[in-house]
């Protein structure tokens, strides 16, 4: 019988993953994608007033040149970050951006996320406001996006690119069989066509569902039965906490009540780790990515 207490949290988490999947690519090729119209929508000169509709783009622009950012979407990642204190919030949480607020900022570039920002971006294009849609589901996508945004605002991307490389330093020299679980009902795990799956590859992990394709409505994720988890029997399990609500170990505590849980070698060997949603499932911000990489090094060593 399904535990009703978990229905709403699980649904909310699945929705958040779906939104994250929308901000990443549905294509296999790592890229930063231009808005689906014409190149005329891009700024014809260095952008001086930028509105970022995703936390990652906002963070990258801020790191490249803080003075160019005039508006952002509200994010829990930046709640106490002084860099964003005085910037206009054009949306909060998962609410659609306020177009009037965006227009009032007189931006010469608005950066959106493919799949999530398409509708407001199209409306802004009709107003002849330069726009750019991003997709990040591979490490190479992050690097390409950074280069592209730096080009738009006439900044040097190399310091950030150099910083990214430090995240990948001192990678584990072993390949442990690993399963990432992001939801209990249903049990969802990222395959190689996701940001999380690509990070696992970068750290030499053997993603047990990396090559699997399933019927999950969420691109880059597969659904698993308890029997499949037992059959895979991973050496390492990573449990991802929901982005909002609940305690830091609520999902993990719930999984511990499942009959199969104590039979897994990762459980027996105390190799089960709780990870944040931002950084591993949704890239979120540069700091979030760095923290996720640090934790992966520890978990997979």
């Amino acid at each position: 019988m399904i535990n009703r207490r978990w229905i709403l949290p699980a649904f909310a988490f699945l929705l958040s993953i779906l939104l994250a999947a929308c901000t990443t690519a549905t294509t296999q090729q790592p890229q930063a994608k231009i808005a689906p119209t014409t190149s005329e929508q891009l700024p014809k000169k260095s952008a001086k007033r930028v509105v970022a509709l995703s936390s990652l783009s906002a963070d990258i622009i801020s790191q490249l040149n803080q003075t160019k950012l005039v508006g952002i979407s509200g994010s829990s990642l930046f709640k106490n970050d002084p860099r964003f204190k005085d910037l206009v919030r054009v949306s909060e949480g998962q609410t659609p951006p306020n177009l009037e607020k965006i227009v009032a900022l007189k931006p010469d570039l608005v950066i959106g996320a493919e799949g999530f920002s398409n509708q407001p971006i199209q409306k802004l294009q009709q107003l002849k406001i330069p726009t750019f849609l991003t997709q990040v589901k591979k490490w190479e996508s992050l690097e390409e996006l950074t280069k592209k945004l730096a080009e738009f605002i006439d900044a040097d991307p190399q310091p950030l690119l150099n910083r990214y490389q430090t995240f990948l330093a001192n990678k584990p020299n072993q390949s442990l069989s690993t399963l990432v679980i992001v939801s209990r009902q249903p049990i969802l795990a990222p395959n190689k066509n996701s940001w999380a799956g690509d990070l696992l590859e970068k750290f030499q992990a053997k993603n047990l569902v990396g090559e699997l394709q399933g019927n999950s409505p969420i691109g880059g994720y597969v659904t698993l039965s308890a029997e499949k988890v037992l059959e895979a029997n991973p050496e390492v399990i990573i449990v991802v906490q929901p982005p909002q609500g609940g305690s830091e170990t609520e999902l993990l505590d719930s999984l511990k009540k499942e009959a199969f849980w104590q039979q897994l070698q990762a459980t027996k060997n105390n190799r089960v780790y709780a990870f944040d949603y931002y950084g591993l499932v949704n890239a979120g911000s540069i700091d979030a990515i760095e923290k996720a990489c640090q934790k992966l090094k520890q978990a997979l060593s």
Side-chain angles (χ1 to χ4, degrees):
M1 181 180 294
I2 294 177
N3 186 337
R4 293 185 178 180
R5 181 169 172 267
W6 272 90
I7 293 177
L8 289 179
F11 176 78
F13 193 38
L14 293 180
L15 177 61
S16 67
I17 296 173
L18 179 59
L19 293 176
C22 288
T23 65
T24 58
T26 56
T27 174
Q28 301 296 320
Q29 297 298 320
Q31 58 180 307
K33 184 178 179 181
I34 295 173
T37 52
T38 69
S39 59
E40 294 176 352
Q41 295 295 333
L42 298 174
K44 294 181 173 58
K45 57 183 180 180
S46 176
K48 293 180 170 54
R49 299 182 61 81
V50 180
V51 173
L53 303 182
S54 76
S55 58
L56 181 59
S57 295
D59 196 19
I60 292 173
I61 291 289
S62 176
Q63 300 275 355
L64 291 169
N65 188 333
Q66 174 68 27
T67 67
K68 300 296 180 76
L69 201 59
V70 296
I72 63 171
S73 291
S75 171
S76 59
L77 289 168
F78 303 145
K79 189 174 182 180
N80 299 313
D81 194 324
R83 291 179 299 156
F84 305 100
K85 180 181 178 183
D86 297 324
L87 294 177
V88 174
R89 264 63 172 175
V90 298
S91 70
E92 289 292 342
Q94 297 172 357
T95 60
N98 186 313
L99 294 179
E100 291 183 0
K101 282 188 176 182
I102 295 175
V103 173
L105 289 171
K106 299 181 179 178
D108 45 23
L109 177 62
V110 178
I111 305 166
E114 175 73 34
F116 184 56
S117 308
N118 292 55
Q119 188 172 3
I121 287 293
Q122 288 172 1
K123 291 180 179 179
L124 291 168
Q125 288 172 349
Q126 293 171 5
L127 298 173
K128 306 302 181 184
I129 295 175
T131 60
F132 184 73
L133 282 174
T134 67
Q135 318 183 102
V136 177
K137 74 182 303 183
K138 300 284 185 181
W139 188 270
E140 291 75 15
S141 304
L142 173 65
E143 295 175 326
E144 289 304 313
L145 174 60
T146 301
K147 293 175 186 177
K148 200 68 179 177
L149 296 185
E151 179 185 332
F152 287 152
I153 64 173
D154 194 21
D156 180 9
Q158 201 57 49
L160 262 186
L161 296 175
N162 292 343
R163 183 183 171 194
Y164 297 161
Q165 289 307 306
T166 67
F167 302 169
L168 300 179
N170 303 316
K171 293 186 290 187
N173 56 13
Q174 57 185 334
S175 181
L176 297 175
S177 61
T178 305
L179 183 67
V180 176
I181 298 177
V182 302
S183 172
R184 175 189 169 198
Q185 294 173 341
I187 299 173
L188 273 181
N191 63 19
K192 66 178 183 179
N193 300 321
S194 65
W195 172 257
D198 191 61
L199 275 187
L200 289 180
E201 287 187 13
K202 287 291 185 290
F203 286 91
Q204 318 299 332
K206 180 184 177 183
N207 184 1
L208 291 176
V209 301
E211 301 296 331
L212 296 183
Q213 301 296 326
N215 297 321
S216 170
I218 302 171
Y221 288 80
V222 297
T223 56
L224 299 173
S225 64
E227 291 74 20
K228 284 293 184 183
V229 176
L230 268 173
E231 181 182 336
N233 199 16
E235 295 174 273
V236 173
I237 295 176
I238 293 172
V239 179
V240 179
Q241 304 307 314
Q244 296 177 343
S247 68
E248 291 186 354
T249 61
E250 189 168 354
L251 176 56
L252 179 55
D253 291 342
S254 177
L255 286 167
K256 289 178 179 178
K257 298 175 184 177
E258 297 285 354
F260 70 88
W261 192 254
Q262 298 303 323
Q263 302 177 51
L264 301 171
Q265 62 173 325
T267 304
K268 294 176 181 178
N269 296 329
N270 197 30
R271 302 210 67 169
V272 178
Y273 305 91
F275 272 59
D276 291 335
Y277 166 82
Y278 291 109
L280 187 61
V281 171
N282 183 332
S285 72
I286 297 170
D287 283 349
I289 295 170
E290 182 176 24
K291 290 176 182 176
C293 290
Q294 290 172 346
K295 291 194 71 172
L296 281 173
K297 291 177 189 178
Q298 295 170 1
L300 298 171
S301 295

